[in-house]
Amino acid sequence: MKRVRIALLGCGTVGSGLVELLARERRRILARHDVHLVIERILVRDVAKARRYVDRRLLTTSAVEAIDRECDVVVELVGGVHAAGAYVRRAIAQRRDVVTANKALLAACGAELFADARAAGVSIGFDASVCGGVPLINVLQRGLAGDSVESVRGIVNGTCNFILTRMEDGMTFVDALRIAQERGFAEAEPEFDVDGWDAAQKMRIVAAVAFDRPVVEEHVSGIRNVTPEWIGRARLGGNVIRLVASAKLTPFGVAIRVEPRELDANDPLACVREENNAVVIRSRAVGELTLTGKGAGAMPTAAAVLADVIAIGTATAAVRAQEAIA
Ligand SMILES: NC(=O)c1ccc[n+]([C@@H]2O[C@H](COP(=O)([O-])OP(=O)(O)OC[C@H]3O[C@@H](n4cnc5c(N)ncnc54)[C@H](OP(=O)(O)O)[C@@H]3O)[C@@H](O)[C@H]2O)c1
């Protein structure tokens, strides 16, 4: 049995989901993967805040204490770029494996962090950073490791999909956005989502994982120009409007597009409603593969984080076993 000690940085929506999920799944993970996962320290800003399922003795406001204390994996769920970046750099410098759900951090300095991690001989798991509970990154990195990916296209922004499906039901853009904000999955400043930039950032990460080629073309337009009339006309033909993000290999490199598209009812993306995500991967040997599910939320995102922690734990256990045999 391998004991894997976790320093958890951040205990908000996803971090507290991780604490709860780990409490629920710990015994099954031990039985199936032979890995015993233990949270050693939890970094927060406010130790006095009420937190369900959390052992308050583990809380600290000192990142140095959380990261430098003996641990095997640093799980970064703080969010943002500045502090989170400093924590991840420190974790790598201390030769800790890292798991993060932080798309913004990877977009801002992913290349530098991955180079540092390679040099330090540690890994960075980031499945949760794109499409939350949909294991897209893991499928591209592991499931399709033996195949050549040709294109990835999908609905990767839950806020836009929620707004478009509500508009299909007759609601205005403004009312649909307000409900998404009330339910907590649209930001108070929604421009990044509704103008397509969140989807584009996700596709840049997807492109880096799926293809060994640079991005040579990027077109981004959001859903502000989707009118009730367009939705109504599409509906007459049995079609729907969705914000589709795609990354595709061209002879020159990777082309990324994010734009509202009219989809035929038979398209696997057409039946995806509300804040759900879906991705269609086309690869040479497998053909078309569709993944659908929750692209955000405490438990789905925590499940993706936990899967990365288990993968790191089992890989480290295998290396240690080989070293012991040698
Ligand atoms: N929420 C989702 O559904 C979702 C889905 C996919 C990916 N993600 C990504 O997951 C990450 C976490 O998101 P979240 O929604 O869980 O965020 P959140 O609810 O805002 O939680 C952030 C946590 O980090 C702590 N924190 C913030 N700044 C800190 C700092 N400078 N030093 C120490 N601790 C700090 C906060 O402490 P306090 O609790 O004391 O305030 C809180 O516990 C983000 O990168 C986000 O993009 C989230």
Side-chain angles (χ1 to χ4, degrees):
M1 186 256 283
K2 163 85 193 301
R3 190 178 151 89
V4 175
R5 298 156 303 175
I6 299 166
L8 174 58
L9 313 183
C11 194
T13 303
V14 184
S16 58
L18 182 69
V19 173
E20 182 182 344
L21 187 63
L22 186 51
R24 200 167 82 193
E25 299 293 333
R26 183 177 280 113
R27 287 175 65 183
R28 187 194 56 80
I29 292 167
L30 177 58
R32 179 173 297 185
H33 302 282
D34 208 25
V35 171
H36 182 51
L37 300 175
V38 184
I39 298 179
E40 290 281 327
R41 269 283 177 269
I42 303 177
L43 175 72
V44 292
R45 278 177 303 201
D46 178 4
V47 288
K49 209 186 253 183
R51 298 171 201 273
R52 288 205 310 158
Y53 304 103
V54 171
D55 178 348
R56 308 192 70 79
R57 290 168 302 182
L58 302 182
L59 295 174
T60 177
T61 55
S62 164
V64 172
E65 188 199 331
I67 297 167
D68 290 11
R69 190 190 168 92
E70 281 288 289
C71 71
D72 304 293
V73 184
V74 172
V75 176
E76 185 279 305
L77 297 173
V78 163
V81 173
H82 191 69
Y87 301 157
V88 170
R89 282 184 199 95
R90 186 172 190 101
I92 293 170
Q94 298 280 0
R95 305 201 54 186
R96 315 278 191 237
D97 290 304
V98 172
V99 174
T100 181
N102 194 335
K103 166 177 56 68
L105 177 65
L106 296 181
C109 40
E112 167 219 326
L113 295 176
F114 285 108
D116 289 354
R118 248 191 316 277
V122 297
S123 58
I124 302 179
F126 56 100
D127 188 67
S129 68
V130 179
C131 295
V134 180
L136 171 61
I137 300 298
N138 272 320
V139 166
L140 291 171
Q141 281 183 324
R142 295 187 242 286
L144 292 173
D147 199 5
S148 297
V149 176
E150 294 168 337
S151 67
V152 180
R153 72 183 180 100
I155 293 169
V156 298
N157 184 276
T159 302
C160 288
N161 208 55
F162 179 86
I163 292 171
L164 291 175
T165 50
R166 287 303 160 107
M167 286 174 74
E168 246 163 54
D169 299 338
M171 205 175 267
T172 64
F173 174 91
V174 173
D175 285 344
L177 174 59
R178 183 178 42 76
I179 291 175
Q181 286 168 329
E182 282 167 7
R183 293 200 183 172
F185 55 81
E187 302 291 332
E189 289 170 10
E191 294 76 15
F192 192 65
D193 286 323
V194 299
D195 291 331
W197 296 108
D198 171 82
Q201 210 172 58
K202 287 170 180 160
M203 291 321 282
R204 274 180 234 138
I205 296 175
V206 166
V209 176
F211 312 109
D212 297 323
R213 305 286 304 279
V215 174
V216 289
E217 191 188 320
E218 187 175 84
H219 167 87
V220 182
S221 69
I223 59 168
R224 286 184 202 268
N225 61 345
V226 179
T227 59
E229 291 72 29
W230 186 12
I231 290 174
R233 266 199 318 276
R235 199 175 208 166
L236 285 177
N239 298 342
V240 295
I241 310 294
R242 294 285 180 267
L243 184 72
V244 178
S246 62
K248 191 174 163 188
L249 261 188
T250 74
F252 313 103
V254 181
I256 289 178
R257 289 191 81 80
V258 177
E259 62 193 347
R261 284 196 209 157
E262 188 169 332
L263 301 179
D264 183 273
N266 295 321
D267 190 305
L269 300 181
C271 59
V272 180
R273 290 182 57 82
E274 304 283 318
E275 70 270 33
N276 287 313
N277 283 193
V279 186
V280 180
I281 306 167
R282 170 160 282 285
S283 65
R284 211 181 289 168
V286 175
E288 210 168 87
L289 176 67
T290 304
L291 301 169
T292 311
K294 298 214 179 308
M299 296 309 260
T301 311
V305 170
L306 195 47
D308 275 346
V309 173
I310 294 168
I312 286 171
T314 49
T316 321
V319 169
R320 293 212 178 144
Q322 279 168 16
E323 283 169 359
I325 292 165

